């Protein structure tokens, strides 16, 4: 039966991040195709797709690896697949959320979830005005970034003004940026929650060095007790990070909030990062990711292989076929709690 089914499509551009996924697909003898989004084409007139399901693994940081042409192309391609009713994991709505930090903040605001205070700008001349009323230090981050790209910290407003005047602010590929409060993480760590099918999968604490904004889970090379991890991805970069990691189970209300975020953003698989603000002890959510690389050497950190569960999910979605998106909470009646619970 499996040999008669159209193959899965893995749509990606990074050479290393998804090797464990390919290995699990190969182990199960599942037919799949790798699509390199750096050089791809499609016919808007086609009425069917050669794939039973497409798994969208496009990364916002692709422009750092010569893949900028794939980013906006992906928006059009996902819309095309949506028209054909091709099942897509992390489809158009999810990718739109992934590629806009500004939209992520709007979502968090709509859900009444706390985040580091920020203003959105599209020109360097607005940077100083945007920082008015924010607590310093602040960071300027590109709206489309990924892997901490282009984030710069400013301790004084004079430093921000000088950088703006000298045209040294990075506005990224869509020329939009956030001016946002820099949050010191209590305990020297952030927490990343991974979700699959909109449900909690696992969480990890990532102990930061304070020197980098790149917290890619696959780059982390040590557990918090000093045990070295076997890394199956990002191998060239991993020794440089100095990050440590440990498994963690967040409070129930945090898990519920993360599942609400995933549902509202229509992200099938992804990660949400939060921290405790050391200035006032408040929990703040600061990143929504539709690209989940999973922690390195997961069995040694969290006790199971998340790629096995991921392939289970892909097989199930491919067999079910296309599903219309579930209603968002904002689209339900305020007293329709049972419908909301069923939607999750």
């Amino acid at each position: 039966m499996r040999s008669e089914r159209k193959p899965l499509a893995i749509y990606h551009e990074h050479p290393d991040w998804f090797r464990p996924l390919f290995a699990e697909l190969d182990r199960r003898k599942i037919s799949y195709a790798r699509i390199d989004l750096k050089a791809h084409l499609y016919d808007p007139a086609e009425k069917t797709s050669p794939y039973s399901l497409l798994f969208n693994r496009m990364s916002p940081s692709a422009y750092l690896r010569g893949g900028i042409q794939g980013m906006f192309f992906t928006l059009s391609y996902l819309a095309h697949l949506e028209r054909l009713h091709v099942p897509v994991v992390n489809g158009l709505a999810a990718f739109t959320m992934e590629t806009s930090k500004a939209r992520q903040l709007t979502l968090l605001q709509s859900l009444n979830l706390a985040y580091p205070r920020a203003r959105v700008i599209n020109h360097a001349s607005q940077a100083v005005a945007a920082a008015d009323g924010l607590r310093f230090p602040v960071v300027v981050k590109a709206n489309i970034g990924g892997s901490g790209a282009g984030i710069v910290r400013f301790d004084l407003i004079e430093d921000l003004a000088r950088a703006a005047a000298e045209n040294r602010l990075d506005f990224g590929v869509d020329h939009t940026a956030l001016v946002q409060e820099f949050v010191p993480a209590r305990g020297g760590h952030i927490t990343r929650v991974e979700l699959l099918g909109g449900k909690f999968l696992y969480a990890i604490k990532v102990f930061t060095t304070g020197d980098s904004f790149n917290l890619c889970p696959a780059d982390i090379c040590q557990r918090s007790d000093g045990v070295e991890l076997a890394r199956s991805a990002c191998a060239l970069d991993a020794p440089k990070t100095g990050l440590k990691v440990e498994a963690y189970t967040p409070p129930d209300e945090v898990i519920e909030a993360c599942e609400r975020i995933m549902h509202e953003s229509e992200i099938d698989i992804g990660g949400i990062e939060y921290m405790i603000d050391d200035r006032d002890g408040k929990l703040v959510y600061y990143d929504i990711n539709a690209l989940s690389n999973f922690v390195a050497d997961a069995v040694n950190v969290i006790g199971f292989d998340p790629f096995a569960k991921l392939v289970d999910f892909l097989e199930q979605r491919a067999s079910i076929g296309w599903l219309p998106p579930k209603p968002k909470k904002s689209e339900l009646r305020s007293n329709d709690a049972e419908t909301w619970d069923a939607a999750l």
Side-chain angles (χ1 to χ4, degrees), residues 19-334:
R19 285 185 295 172
L21 171 60
F22 299 140
E24 182 65 17
L25 291 168
D26 290 338
R27 186 185 69 80
R28 301 191 193 190
K29 296 182 171 56
I30 295 174
S31 176
Y32 68 95
R34 303 188 194 187
I35 299 178
D36 184 350
L37 57 85
K38 292 193 296 295
H40 188 44
L41 66 85
Y42 69 92
D43 183 354
E46 67 184 357
K47 294 180 172 56
T48 61
S49 169
Y51 310 116
S52 62
L53 173 143
L54 183 131
F55 185 19
N56 175 28
R57 298 281 71 193
M58 172 64 194
S59 170
S61 64
Y63 74 95
L64 300 173
R65 296 180 293 275
I68 189 172
Q69 69 273 22
M71 186 172 302
F72 299 104
F73 174 92
T74 296
L75 292 169
S76 301
Y77 185 49
L78 294 179
H80 169 68
L81 295 177
E82 189 174 277
R83 181 183 68 81
L84 296 180
H85 285 184
V86 176
V88 177
V89 173
N90 285 357
L92 181 58
F95 185 63
T96 302
M97 186 65 66
E98 166 80 328
T99 52
S100 176
K101 297 186 190 313
R103 287 177 64 96
Q104 293 175 19
L105 297 187
T106 296
L107 174 61
L108 292 172
Q109 181 68 38
S110 72
L111 295 176
N112 294 317
L113 296 173
Y115 55 87
R117 293 181 63 201
R119 277 71 181 262
V120 183
I121 62 175
N122 68 354
H123 196 275
S125 64
Q126 301 303 302
V128 171
D132 184 36
L134 300 183
R135 291 178 288 183
F136 274 76
V138 299
V139 295
V140 176
K141 59 173 70 172
N143 187 47
I144 301 177
S147 300
I151 301 177
V152 180
R153 169 175 165 167
F154 297 94
D155 292 333
L156 301 172
I157 196 165
E158 292 82 5
D159 296 334
L160 176 61
R162 188 177 305 111
E166 296 173 357
N167 199 29
R168 289 189 283 111
L169 301 181
D170 185 355
F171 281 72
V173 296
D174 68 345
H175 211 85
T176 301
L178 272 59
V179 179
Q180 188 168 49
E181 290 186 0
F182 173 83
V183 176
R186 178 162 294 183
H189 71 268
I190 62 94
T191 301
R192 182 176 173 105
V193 181
E194 301 284 357
L195 301 102
L196 177 61
K199 295 296 185 180
F200 175 78
L201 184 62
Y202 70 85
I204 53 175
K205 287 183 178 180
V206 179
F207 293 84
T208 70
T209 63
D211 299 325
S212 173
F213 295 102
N214 183 4
L215 303 180
C216 173
D219 289 350
I220 301 169
C221 57
Q222 283 188 327
R223 285 195 326 211
S224 59
D225 58 6
V227 172
E228 286 287 324
L229 301 178
R231 296 179 297 281
S232 57
C234 303
L236 294 177
D237 297 330
K240 304 174 184 178
T241 64
L243 302 176
K244 296 182 179 181
V245 64
E246 69 180 28
Y248 175 68
T249 302
D252 289 344
E253 59 269 22
V254 171
I255 293 176
E256 179 184 357
C258 290
E259 291 180 347
R260 287 171 60 204
I261 293 170
M262 290 289 104
H263 182 82
E264 289 290 316
S265 58
E266 299 182 36
I267 297 175
D268 299 298
I269 170 175
I272 297 170
E273 294 176 7
Y274 73 88
M275 68 178 79
I276 305 300
D277 189 337
D278 198 42
R279 299 170 299 182
D280 52 26
K282 294 182 179 178
L283 186 152
V284 292
Y285 298 89
Y286 69 92
D287 201 11
I288 301 172
N289 300 275
L291 187 78
S292 199
N293 300 329
F294 295 141
V295 65
D297 199 3
V299 173
N300 200 16
V301 176
I302 60 174
F304 66 91
D305 179 6
F307 285 100
K309 294 183 180 293
L310 171 58
V311 173
D312 288 342
F313 176 76
L314 295 179
E315 282 203 291
Q316 181 184 38
R317 280 290 288 113
S319 64
I320 292 173
W322 182 82
L323 294 173
K326 293 179 180 178
K328 297 180 181 180
K329 187 177 182 182
S330 57
E331 297 170 347
L332 301 174
R333 298 189 302 274
S334 59

